[in-house]
């Protein structure tokens, strides 16, 4: 076990843990946007930064990536931490002024408006380029249908497809995981409509052969048939009708 100190309290941690995971287990609040247990951390948003003192030297680190080390002293809410976090949230606010999640986080930090100029991208949505959607698509779903492309101000989440060759299965994991609501998903009868920051695609839904309800995207059902090895007949009924059998 590794001994560390957070905000004056001593903790023992597994060597594989990050500072964020130890703090969260202890109920110590550190804001995060791009962290989830579902995928490997990437350190994109930097809002989780904390101050770490190691061998007499203090520096700011992203807590979701920083591994625990024997004897480190962590401060999650020093004036220096709060000041830099405020600057980060102001930059995010300038990029995504209409994102409710960003606005709420900013308000919690006492920030109601940004000192920075609105980015051009601000007109097109709420994406903070955290990459959670692309990572969940590749690491959890295994589809790798969307990706972050380009550099600098042209960086964006690339739409999965407008052609039959796409590997998007319309599962909607990207929409569920997105921390800012930049991706939306609506099930409207026979269609699932997913809107990414730069475009919208409709997906055909599969219909239950008994009750007629549209219960899952056709592409997702095909994916499940292929990956499970089950017969297509197993997917003829919706979950409700299956329970009745
Ligand atoms: S769409 Fe959402 S999850 Fe994907 S990069 Fe943008 S903010 Fe992150
Ligand atoms: S939560 Fe750590 S960098 Fe985003």
């Amino acid at each position: 076990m590794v001994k560390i100190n957070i905000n004056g309290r001593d903790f023992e941690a597994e060597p594989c843990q990050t500072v964020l995971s130890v703090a969260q287990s202890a109920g110590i609040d550190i804001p995060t946007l791009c962290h989830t247990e579902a995928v490997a951390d990437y350190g994109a948003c930097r809002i989780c930064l904390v101050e770490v003192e190691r061998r007499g030297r203090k520096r700011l680190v992203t807590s979701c990536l920083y591994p625990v080390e024997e004897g480190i002293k962590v401060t999650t809410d020093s004036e220096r931490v709060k000041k830099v976090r405020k600057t980060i949230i102001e930059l995010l606010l300038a990029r995504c002024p209409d994102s409710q999640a960003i606005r709420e986080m900013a308000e919690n930090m006492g920030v109601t408006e940004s000192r920075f100029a609105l980015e051009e991208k601000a007109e097109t949505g709420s994406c903070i380029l955290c990459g959670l959607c692309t990572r969940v698509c590749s690491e959890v779903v295994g589809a790798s249908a969307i990706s972050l492309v380009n550099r600098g101000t042209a960086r964006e989440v690339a739409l999965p497809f407008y052609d039959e060759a796409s590997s998007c299965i319309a599962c909607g994991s990207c929409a569920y995981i997105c921390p800012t609501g930049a991706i939306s998903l609506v099930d409207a009868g026979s269609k699932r409509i997913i809107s990414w920051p730069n475009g919208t695609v409709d997906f055909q839904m599969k219909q239950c052969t008994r009750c007629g309800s549209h219960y899952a995207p056709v592409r997702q059902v095909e994916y499940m048939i292929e990956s499970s090895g089950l017969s297509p007949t197993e997917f003829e009924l919706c979950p409700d009708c299956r329970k009745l059998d």
Side-chain angles (χ1 to χ4, degrees):
M1 297 297 272
V2 176
K3 290 193 176 98
I4 72 167
N5 182 288
I6 305 179
N7 297 347
R9 291 165 60 194
D10 291 327
F11 296 96
E12 286 200 334
E14 300 286 345
C16 59
Q17 281 188 277
T18 61
V19 166
L20 178 67
S21 72
V22 178
Q24 286 185 329
S25 306
I28 297 168
D29 184 46
I30 297 176
T32 63
L33 282 167
C34 69
H35 167 77
T36 166
E37 297 294 326
V39 296
D41 282 306
Y42 177 64
C45 75
R46 311 200 77 78
I47 203 75
C48 69
L49 65 83
V50 297
E51 196 165 28
V52 166
E53 184 178 340
R54 180 176 174 265
R55 295 186 193 139
R57 277 194 61 215
K58 285 184 183 175
R59 65 191 181 109
L60 296 175
V61 302
T62 44
S63 61
C64 67
L65 289 179
Y66 200 86
V68 293
E69 282 180 275
E70 184 68 32
I72 59 171
K73 288 184 186 161
V74 180
T75 311
T76 66
D77 58 358
S78 67
E79 287 310 310
R80 187 182 175 203
V81 167
K82 286 194 260 189
K83 190 173 168 195
V84 179
R85 262 193 214 143
K86 274 187 177 180
T87 302
I88 293 170
I89 200 71
E90 281 186 69
L91 287 165
L92 293 174
L93 204 51
R95 181 180 174 84
C96 309
D98 296 329
S99 165
Q100 194 179 341
I102 298 296
R103 282 206 315 272
E104 280 175 10
M105 185 172 275
E107 276 168 25
N108 288 339
M109 294 180 193
V111 174
T112 49
E113 58 184 57
S114 176
R115 285 170 291 162
F116 304 102
L118 285 187
E119 286 188 24
E120 269 179 44
K121 287 267 174 197
E123 291 167 18
T124 61
S126 305
C127 178
I128 59 169
L129 299 174
C130 70
L132 266 182
C133 53
T134 62
R135 283 180 286 142
V136 82
C137 185
S138 63
E139 293 177 34
V140 180
V141 181
S144 297
I146 49 176
S147 57
L148 284 169
V149 297
N150 303 327
R151 290 177 185 275
T153 54
R155 192 134 171 94
E156 63 183 351
V157 175
L159 265 181
F161 80 121
Y162 285 108
D163 61 50
E164 290 305 310
S166 168
S167 52
C168 180
I169 61 169
C171 67
S173 300
C174 55
Y176 294 118
I177 203 85
C178 178
T180 64
I183 304 175
S184 71
L185 179 155
V186 177
D187 283 340
S190 62
K191 299 286 182 188
R192 168 165 290 184
I193 304 157
I194 304 182
S195 297
W196 287 273
N198 60 355
T200 296
V201 180
D202 294 357
F203 298 88
Q204 185 61 45
M205 297 288 277
K206 183 157 179 69
Q207 197 166 18
C208 174
T209 53
R210 184 177 293 167
C211 72
S213 69
H214 294 93
Y215 72 93
V218 170
R219 280 169 175 259
Q220 189 176 0
V221 172
E222 289 169 351
Y223 183 82
M224 288 191 288
I225 290 169
E226 196 181 320
S227 54
S228 69
L230 290 168
S231 163
T233 54
E234 300 282 344
F235 297 86
E236 292 295 314
L237 302 180
C238 69
D240 287 341
C241 287
R242 269 202 297 273
K243 276 188 220 154
L244 299 175
D245 276 1

